[in-house]
């Protein structure tokens, strides 16, 4: 179009030829402009063709890099992927987990997804191996030969002599619960998008949650597959009338995405915010699950074990409890083995505040952390509660498949 208008403008300057020389000159000029016009058209078409080629190449490369994610989105909506063959009960995220790496070919996200119950669906195999390398190199104790060193309950033969001899010092750094936690059980995993959840998010009450956007996505996938599924389920053990965590999580993932069950023996039901949707307050406390408990459990008691609690709430067939938040003022030491029972839904994330650090062999702090790790729980956050006491520590765990931990002696 540009060349045509340019040619028309120039040729219109001499519409008539007065003599033969002018006619010849004009004819030559017309040939020259025709040739130039053809050249301009060729250049323009070449530019268009090159841009189209570059655009096609870009789209191809983009589709190559995004192919696995698009595959995941399709699989999430259709629910056509199968769960790993090693699991014998309802999978945590059945619509997302694909299986082992041999079944999914060149999927670059297969390893993380298969070893995290589908939770980490967009972490490449290369990065997942780096996460595992960090875990494998992690030490749980400053003094592995005497892990109770610094614990005020440790006996003479349970602590390093050079530390134990200063236990009566005016400095608490030699012998205190805070000193023990400073030297043991640091986080051994990192969630890429962990976030402190609460409303407000500062102060005592909020908790660190591993990648809450993934909880929202998994809830949507479950609801697409089964409209009767609750989406995501949150257990909040211990309230004391503080609903900041539940309100913050709802704000994060959206209303009606999660179902909240707040369990506390205190009379705090009337303090539940009106804007907190699908939230149920249960007035009882958590105790050690009794092996000879009446089945089904009778309602109206002041305390129940975790298995009985799940029965009372009708969650026996539930595959997973997405977040198990517990702050029950030392009941963690008497109930943690129930958290790992195969009779309850899988607790995918555990947010717990521990109090003191019992030095007992079979039900103390060391067995607490080691048992969780042996069950597949990685520590992704650790936070001392410096407002209310140095012996209170907030821990956050996320569960992975045991294949992630294979080869580590301490796990």
């Amino acid at each position: 179009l540009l060349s045509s208008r340019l040619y028309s403008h120039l040729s219109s300057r001499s519409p008539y030829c007065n003599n033969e020389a002018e006619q010849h000159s004009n004819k030559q000029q017309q040939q020259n402009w025709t040739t130039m016009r053809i050249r301009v058209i060729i250049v323009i078409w070449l530019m268009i063709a090159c841009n189209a080629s570059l655009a096609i190449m870009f789209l191809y490369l983009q589709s190559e890099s995004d192919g696995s994610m698009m595959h995941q989105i399709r699989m999430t909506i259709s629910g056509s992927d199968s769960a790993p063959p090693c699991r014998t009960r309802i999978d945590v995220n059945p619509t997302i987990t694909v299986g082992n790496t041999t079944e999914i070919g060149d999927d670059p996200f297969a390893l993380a997804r298969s070893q995290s119950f589908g939770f980490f669906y967009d972490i490449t195999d290369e990065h997942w191996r780096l996460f595992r390398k960090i875990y494998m190199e992690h030490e749980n104790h400053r003094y592995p030969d005497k892990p109770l060193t610094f614990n005020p309950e440790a006996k003479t033969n349970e602590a390093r002599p050079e530390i134990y001899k200063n236990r009566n010092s005016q400095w608490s750094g030699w012998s205190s619960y805070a000193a023990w936690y400073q030297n043991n059980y640091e986080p051994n995993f990192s969630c890429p998008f962990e976030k402190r959840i609460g409303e407000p998010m500062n102060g005592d009450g909020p908790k660190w949650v591993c990648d809450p956007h993934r909880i929202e996505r998994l809830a949507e996938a479950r609801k697409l597959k089964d409209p009767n599924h609750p989406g995501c389920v949150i257990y909040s053990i211990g309230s004391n009338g503080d609903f900041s965590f539940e309100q913050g999580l709802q704000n994060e993932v959206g209303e009606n995405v999660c179902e909240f069950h707040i369990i506390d023996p205190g009379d705090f039901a009337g303090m539940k915010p009106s804007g907190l949707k699908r939230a149920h307050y249960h007035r009882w406390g958590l105790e050690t699950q009794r092996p000879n408990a009446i089945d089904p459990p009778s309602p109206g008691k002041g305390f129940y074990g975790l298995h009985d609690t799940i029965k009372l709430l009708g969650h026996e067939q539930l595959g997973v409890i997405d977040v198990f938040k517990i702050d029950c003022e030392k009941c963690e030491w008497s109930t943690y083995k129930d958290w790992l029972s195969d009779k309850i839904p899988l607790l995918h994330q555990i947010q717990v505040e521990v109090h003191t650090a019992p030095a007992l062999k079979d039900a103390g702090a060391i067995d607490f952390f080691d048992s969780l790790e042996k069950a597949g729980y990685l520590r992704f956050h650790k936070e001392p509660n410096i407002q209310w006491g140095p012996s209170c520590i907030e821990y956050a765990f996320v569960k992975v498949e045991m294949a992630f931990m294979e080869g580590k002696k301490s796990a």
Side-chain angles (χ1 to χ4, degrees):
L1 178 61
L2 178 62
S3 61
S4 297
R5 289 182 178 178
L6 183 60
Y7 170 73
S8 246
H9 172 70
L10 292 173
S11 61
S12 67
R13 299 174 60 187
S14 301
Y16 301 103
C17 298
N18 298 324
N19 53 51
E20 185 176 349
E22 287 182 355
Q23 291 178 2
H24 176 75
S25 175
N26 191 47
K27 183 177 180 180
Q28 184 64 38
Q29 188 179 26
Q30 290 178 359
Q31 290 177 349
N32 291 341
W33 279 107
T34 300
T35 302
M36 181 173 290
R37 182 182 181 185
I38 292 173
R39 288 176 179 173
V40 170
I41 292 173
I42 291 174
V43 169
I44 291 173
W45 276 107
L46 285 174
M47 291 172 65
I48 294 172
C50 287
N51 286 332
S53 299
L54 289 173
I56 292 171
M57 183 178 296
F58 173 78
L59 291 173
Y60 173 76
L61 293 174
Q62 189 69 17
S63 66
E64 285 291 304
S65 63
D66 292 347
S68 297
M69 181 58 68
M70 293 304 296
H71 170 77
Q72 278 304 294
I73 293 173
R74 288 194 298 270
M75 293 302 101
T76 297
I77 294 173
S78 66
S80 60
D81 284 347
S82 59
C86 61
R87 295 193 64 79
T88 57
R89 62 191 183 95
I90 300 175
D91 206 316
V92 176
N93 303 313
T95 62
I96 295 175
T97 301
V98 176
N100 57 46
T101 53
T102 60
E103 295 176 334
I104 45 186
D106 298 328
D107 186 349
F109 310 106
L111 190 59
R113 191 171 59 252
S114 65
Q115 291 186 359
S116 68
F117 308 98
F119 188 72
F120 296 110
Y121 53 81
D122 57 357
I123 295 179
T124 64
D125 291 355
E126 179 184 5
H127 286 177
W128 189 250
R129 291 188 183 98
L130 288 176
F131 280 121
R132 186 172 185 273
K133 181 176 183 292
I134 292 171
Y135 167 73
M136 298 296 285
E137 295 173 350
H138 183 85
E139 291 283 352
N140 285 337
H141 309 285
R142 180 174 179 178
Y143 299 114
D145 60 325
K146 300 286 185 179
L148 285 174
T149 299
F150 296 108
N151 192 308
E153 300 179 21
K155 299 176 182 177
T156 306
N157 62 336
E158 295 176 329
R160 293 286 286 264
E162 66 272 24
I163 305 297
Y164 188 81
K165 69 180 182 180
N166 298 310
R167 67 190 182 281
N168 294 321
S169 168
Q170 61 175 324
W171 305 107
S172 62
W174 294 109
S175 179
S176 65
Y177 296 120
W180 188 79
Y181 279 111
Q182 183 69 41
N183 289 274
N184 297 277
Y185 295 112
E186 293 295 333
N188 53 15
F189 186 76
S190 297
C191 292
F193 302 100
E194 64 173 342
K195 187 173 182 180
R196 201 168 197 264
I197 299 296
E199 183 57 47
M201 67 168 54
N202 291 297
D204 183 32
K207 307 293 179 183
W208 286 94
V209 175
C210 181
D211 298 9
H213 70 283
R214 303 182 193 277
I215 296 176
E216 179 183 3
R217 177 183 183 273
L218 297 176
E220 292 174 353
R222 294 167 187 155
K223 294 289 286 184
L224 281 173
K225 186 174 183 180
D226 179 7
N228 295 319
H229 195 284
C232 79
V233 176
I234 312 297
Y235 274 30
S236 188
I237 313 295
S239 168
N240 197 31
D242 184 354
F243 297 88
S244 59
F245 170 72
E246 295 79 18
Q247 186 66 61
L249 187 56
Q250 176 179 274
N251 294 347
E252 183 70 22
V253 302
E255 290 187 3
N256 298 313
V257 173
C258 292
E259 182 179 285
F260 297 92
H261 292 274
I262 300 102
I263 299 168
D264 191 293
D267 186 12
F268 303 115
M271 300 175 66
K272 180 169 66 70
S274 59
L276 185 59
K277 309 299 182 182
R278 298 177 65 198
H280 311 276
Y281 189 89
H282 310 284
R283 192 177 177 184
W284 65 73
L286 189 68
E287 66 176 3
T288 305
Q289 179 63 46
R290 300 177 184 179
N292 57 347
I294 299 175
D295 189 19
S298 303
K301 294 183 179 180
F303 288 86
Y304 292 96
L306 183 56
H307 191 198
D308 285 344
T309 293
I310 289 169
K311 289 180 179 178
L312 286 169
L313 300 183
H315 290 158
E316 290 179 274
Q317 301 304 316
L318 195 65
V320 59
I321 295 170
D322 295 271
V323 173
F324 182 78
K325 188 271 287 184
I326 178 167
D327 181 359
C328 58
E329 306 302 327
K330 297 186 180 181
C331 89
E332 64 271 15
W333 306 119
S334 61
T335 63
Y336 70 88
K337 293 183 180 179
D338 295 335
W339 309 350
L340 311 177
S341 170
D342 59 2
K343 297 179 180 180
I344 66 170
L346 187 149
L347 310 181
H348 191 242
Q349 292 193 45
I350 298 176
Q351 282 75 18
V352 56
E353 182 176 77
V354 295
H355 309 79
T356 71
L360 301 174
K361 183 177 181 180
D362 296 327
I366 290 179
D367 187 70
F368 172 89
F369 289 103
D370 289 352
S371 295
L372 284 169
E373 188 169 345
K374 289 175 182 177
Y377 286 97
L378 301 170
R379 301 181 297 275
F380 68 87
H381 207 96
K382 175 184 180 181
E383 178 182 86
N385 188 337
I386 57 178
Q387 181 176 2
W388 298 111
S391 62
C392 301
I393 312 292
E394 301 273 4
Y395 274 95
F397 301 82
V398 63
K399 185 173 173 60
V400 296
E401 289 278 10
M402 294 309 301
F404 182 88
M405 298 178 164
E406 285 180 359
K408 186 168 183 178
K409 295 181 181 179
S410 61

